[in-house]
Amino acid sequence: EQISPLVTILALTSYTTGIVKNKCLNLGMKDVFHKPISYSQLKRVLNRILIDVNNLFIKMNGVLGFW
């Protein structure tokens, strides 16, 4: 089943290998982080997600997104 592009899934784990990260990304997750996550990492990914969702909203509706 296809995940809506408006749904964002992030993985936060205590242990991440390249294999696990690739599996998560192939399943549709947007990113994978390992604990502890820094404020700057969280801020970076949330900004990227908001920009992606806003661009998708514009593409679908032809108008500026939700902010």
Side-chain angles (χ1 to χ4, degrees):
E1 188 172 321
Q2 190 81 3
I3 297 174
S4 167
L6 295 175
V7 173
T8 300
I9 302 171
L10 303 172
L12 180 61
T13 180
S14 60
Y15 178 73
T16 305
T17 65
I19 294 170
V20 170
K21 184 172 183 172
N22 286 335
K23 284 182 180 181
C24 290
L25 295 175
N26 288 333
L27 289 171
M29 293 184 188
K30 299 289 185 191
D31 215 332
V32 180
F33 300 97
H34 59 87
K35 296 177 186 176
I37 186 170
S38 70
Y39 174 75
S40 61
Q41 285 178 300
L42 184 59
K43 183 178 173 183
R44 178 183 50 82
V45 74
L46 292 177
N47 281 329
R48 188 181 75 228
I49 290 167
L50 288 174
I51 289 168
D52 289 348
V53 169
N54 193 57
N55 289 337
L56 180 61
F57 186 88
I58 291 169
K59 185 177 179 181
M60 292 170 61
N61 298 292
V63 296
L64 188 60
F66 51 83
W67 74 81

